[in-house]
Amino acid sequence: MRALAHPDRGELQLDTVLSALSDPVRRRIIGQLADGPDDQACSAFQLPVSKSTSTHHFRVLREAGLIEQHYSGTSILNTLRAADLEARFPGLLQAVLQASRHEAPSPTAERL
Amino acid sequence: MRALAHPDRGELQLDTVLSALSDPVRRRIIGQLADGPDDQACSAFQLPVSKSTSTHHFRVLREAGLIEQHYSGTSILNTLRAADLEARFPGLLQAVLQASRHEAPSPTAERL
DNA sequence: CCCATTGTACGATAACTCTAGTAGTACGAA
DNA sequence: TTCGTACTACTAGAGTTATCGTACAATGGG
């Protein structure tokens, strides 16, 4: 029950991935996942939007295949699908992450 | 007269660039510019959209800073701003181009 | 000057996105 | 069972985007 749909590695679409990455809130999520540990709950992210909007962004990321989500009690744990992305679109994620860091020197303090 | 506004290299925004690249028509334009010569006229692109929609996509690419456009007679010549992009977002353009080729093996024949 | 070529501007429409509020579900703890 | 936490679903509004048709402007060639 409460299964969350994820696209397979082979189903990843460049369109969807780039479109998911074009939102700053979602890039912030991806950045925190890339820099921090795996399995971070949604509540571990300090996002400048409401809870329902957060849910929306996490869903977009999951459906694009950028993150993997699975339930653990009342929480959902999020993990970056770095290997899948690297296999399908080599260098893309790293380039975006680097560009993102360059653009926002202090991600935790930025206003967004 | 008929000056076309372009963002400076330092003004390039990751948001805008990724969002511009998330459309397949625009990726096709970028791909053809990357693989072909500089200064290709808009009419050199066989796009599956109307002329006015084409204009729209070229404008989005120019305003995002991905291409440089300048008039030459009745035509506009388009050039990929590869150096500017590489300076600001290293590896990003190449990663997208490679992913794009991988996803669409024969760009000229694809249905889009 | 007339005309063909090339691209723009404008108006319209349908679809999508981001945002939030409200209500509800699943789970763990007391 | 009752409560709090964590997150989702649904609904809705505001804004943006992609698309096109039509009309128009700029240039170069005869």
Side-chain angles (χ1 to χ4, degrees), chain A residues 16-31 47-49 53-54 56-58 60-61 66 96 100 103 110 112, chain B residues 14-20 22:
Chain A
T16 323
V17 168
L18 287 176
S19 156
L21 287 171
S22 69
D23 185 285
V25 174
R26 293 194 290 259
R27 274 205 306 283
R28 184 145 138 181
I29 295 174
I30 293 296
L47 303 175
V49 294
T53 304
S54 263
H56 160 70
H57 286 305
F58 276 102
V60 170
L61 287 173
L66 284 161
V96 171
S100 203
E103 209 179 39
E110 72 176 317
L112 250 182
Chain B
L14 185 54
D15 262 38
T16 324
V17 168
L18 287 177
S19 156
S22 70

Side-chain angles (χ1 to χ4, degrees), chain B residues 1-2 23 26 49-50 52-53 56-57 73-74:
Chain B
M1 54 154 7
R2 289 213 292 167
D23 185 286
R26 292 194 291 259
V49 292
S50 74
S52 52
T53 305
H56 161 69
H57 286 305
T74 65

Side-chain angles (χ1 to χ4, degrees), chain B:
Chain B
M1 54 154 7
R2 289 213 292 167
L4 295 167
H6 294 77
D8 290 341
R9 174 186 288 193
E11 291 171 349
L12 301 189
Q13 299 284 327
L14 185 54
D15 262 38
T16 324
V17 168
L18 287 177
S19 156
L21 288 171
S22 70
D23 185 286
V25 173
R26 292 194 291 259
R27 275 204 306 283
R28 182 145 141 182
I29 295 173
I30 293 296
Q32 179 170 333
L33 280 174
D35 294 339
D38 278 355
D39 286 333
Q40 297 184 56
C42 295
S43 55
F45 296 79
Q46 310 275 330
L47 303 175
V49 292
S50 74
K51 210 166 51 165
S52 52
T53 305
S54 262
T55 296
H56 161 69
H57 286 305
F58 276 102
R59 191 220 290 243
V60 169
L61 286 173
R62 172 170 51 80
E63 292 183 344
L66 284 160
I67 63 175
E68 190 268 330
Q69 297 190 296
H70 61 94
Y71 281 95
S72 169
T74 65
S75 301
I76 282 192
L77 302 183
N78 300 275
T79 301
L80 191 58
R81 294 179 63 181
D84 287 336
L85 289 163
E86 185 61 23
R88 189 105 164 82
F89 307 125
L92 181 58
L93 180 62
Q94 289 309 316
V96 172
L97 285 171
Q98 186 183 337
S100 203
R101 288 189 201 100
H102 177 260
E103 208 179 40
S106 70
T108 54
E110 73 176 317
R111 267 267 287 106
L112 251 184

Side-chain angles (χ1 to χ4, degrees), chain A:
Chain A
M1 50 153 13
R2 288 212 294 165
L4 295 166
H6 293 78
D8 290 340
R9 173 186 289 194
E11 290 171 350
L12 300 189
Q13 300 284 326
L14 185 54
D15 261 38
T16 323
V17 168
L18 287 176
S19 156
L21 287 171
S22 69
D23 185 285
V25 174
R26 293 194 290 259
R27 274 205 306 283
R28 184 145 138 181
I29 295 174
I30 293 296
Q32 181 170 332
L33 280 173
D35 294 340
D38 279 356
D39 286 334
Q40 297 185 55
C42 296
S43 54
F45 296 79
Q46 312 273 331
L47 303 175
V49 294
S50 74
K51 214 163 46 164
S52 55
T53 304
S54 263
T55 297
H56 160 70
H57 286 305
F58 276 102
R59 193 220 290 245
V60 170
L61 287 173
R62 173 170 50 79
E63 292 182 344
L66 284 161
I67 63 174
E68 189 268 330
Q69 297 191 297
H70 62 93
Y71 280 96
S72 169
T74 65
S75 299
I76 284 191
L77 301 183
N78 301 274
T79 300
L80 190 59
R81 293 179 62 180
D84 287 335
L85 289 163
E86 184 61 23
R88 189 104 166 81
F89 307 124
L92 180 58
L93 181 61
Q94 289 310 315
V96 171
L97 284 172
Q98 186 183 337
S100 203
R101 287 189 202 99
H102 179 259
E103 209 179 39
S106 69
T108 55
E110 72 176 317
R111 268 268 288 107
L112 250 182

